Amino acid sequence: MNPALKFWYYAGGRLPQKHREFVYDDVTGPKWLVRFTIRSLVQVTPLVTVIALALVHGLGSPWPLAIACGGLGFVVGLYFALSYAPESVDYRLTKYGYPRGSATEGRRVRNAARDRERQAKYDAVWRRSEG
């Protein structure tokens, strides 16, 4: 996939249907939450920048106040984006024809072996029968 299309996707755009496997891999891969966070920051940055500049140039606010407002905008935007990250990527996959919950199930399947191994280690240490 060309870099311009990837940038469009990370900026919040929708890819053509032929790239549905890329989207699935993006939201179920090992670093899906990092990529989701980057995508959220790319989407929030222009809005926060416009608001900060409008505060300074349109309303005559001091720069420190505008920067503080911009920082608060980043925190709030990122907080809400990350709060609903699993639901958001599940919904994004439905736009590409996948059934509801495909991203969550894909991550569950991908991590199943690792989770079983961790549970076995936990059980070996904490679930020993004393008797």
Side-chain angles (χ1 to χ4, degrees):
M1 177 183 332
N2 74 40
L5 243 135
K6 269 191 181 178
F7 179 78
W8 172 250
Y9 172 72
Y10 285 114
R14 185 167 176 189
L15 295 177
Q17 216 40 29
K18 67 181 181 180
H19 296 294
R20 69 191 297 259
E21 290 299 320
F22 169 80
V23 176
Y24 182 83
D25 292 339
D26 180 60
V27 299
T28 61
K31 304 261 188 221
W32 77 273
L33 193 56
V34 172
R35 289 187 300 275
F36 181 85
T37 304
I38 291 168
R39 189 171 197 249
S40 298
L41 286 173
V42 168
Q43 292 173 352
V44 160
T45 300
L47 179 62
V48 169
T49 304
V50 166
I51 290 171
L53 291 174
L55 283 172
V56 171
H57 296 294
L59 298 176
S61 299
W63 277 102
L65 179 63
I67 291 171
C69 289
L72 184 60
F74 270 121
V75 169
V76 170
L78 198 57
Y79 173 79
F80 280 107
L82 291 175
S83 293
Y84 299 103
E87 293 87 357
S88 177
V89 296
D90 277 335
Y91 177 70
R92 188 180 323 152
L93 281 185
T94 62
K95 294 177 183 178
Y96 290 93
Y98 288 97
R100 216 166 159 194
S102 294
T104 302
E105 185 60 29
R107 287 189 301 274
R108 186 177 294 125
V109 168
R110 181 180 47 83
N111 295 328
R114 184 190 66 189
D115 291 345
R116 280 192 300 274
E117 183 180 308
R118 285 181 177 174
Q119 186 65 44
K121 287 180 183 178
Y122 176 87
D123 290 345
V125 171
W126 297 103
R127 301 287 184 217
R128 286 184 282 187
S129 60
E130 297 182 27

